[in-house]
Amino acid sequence: GAHPDAIFDSFERRPVASASLAQVHRARLKDGRVVAVKVQYPGIEWVIASDLRTLKFVIRILRVLYRQINLDVIFSEFSRIVSEELDYLLEGKNAETFARNFSKNPRIKIPIVYWPYTTSKVLTLEYLEGIKITDLDGIDRRDIDRKELARILAEAYAQMFFVDGFFHGDPHPGNIFVRRGPEV
């Protein structure tokens, strides 16, 4: 692949966030737009494959103890979800589906996907500044109304579950940020 300097005007080597499968770096495109670049750890798919083989072995043992539970269905569903987690092209498409679903709601901001800089292992998104949803002190310091924030989130999840049938399945604090407005 190309060196980051060939693609980005600047690329912060220290990640702004890291998780089990990837880390996120702040960067600036040559045209000045600030982006978040999610980079999958090299070789993570081999680690996942090894974990899945271990899980399959454990399930063979559990099958003897829990005959009434269809563990094969659980395993195949788990495998499917994990392999989808490794595909950032799919994650980008999902982000665009959310953006369409919430296009009429100015309180919900979904980052733009920059497709020319996205692959199955690198996801480049618009960088949206915000406070982690769990940083209550930061939220209070900016005089953001917590009740309004809770209402926005509850309505967003109600829309995802009951209207769109398409929901964010990983709502941890690193994925939900708050801005003045309030906006989520």
Side-chain angles (χ1 to χ4, degrees), residues 35-111:
V35 293
V37 185
K38 182 176 178 181
V39 182
Q40 197 170 107
Y41 295 126
I44 195 74
E45 63 275 8
W46 302 110
V47 174
I48 300 289
S50 170
D51 290 348
L52 287 173
R53 281 194 302 276
T54 304
L55 181 62
K56 198 169 197 121
F57 176 74
V58 169
I59 282 176
R60 285 216 313 264
I61 295 165
L62 291 175
R63 204 180 287 137
V64 177
L65 301 169
Y66 301 101
R67 292 178 203 281
Q68 70 279 17
I69 301 171
N70 188 343
L71 296 166
D72 293 327
V73 167
I74 294 168
F75 176 80
S76 64
E77 190 63 9
F78 183 76
S79 304
R80 184 185 63 78
I81 291 165
V82 167
S83 67
E84 285 178 3
E85 285 271 309
L86 291 170
D87 183 2
Y88 293 163
L89 294 170
L90 182 62
E91 190 170 326
K93 288 188 190 109
N94 289 343
E96 288 190 335
T97 300
F98 283 119
R100 271 194 309 279
N101 292 350
F102 287 103
S103 62
K104 291 178 178 63
N105 186 341
R107 294 294 182 86
I108 305 288
K109 300 274 184 233
I110 310 295

Side-chain angles (χ1 to χ4, degrees), residues 173-184:
N175 285 339
I176 303 175
F177 292 89
V178 179
R179 299 176 350 160
R180 277 210 174 93
E183 291 176 353
V184 177

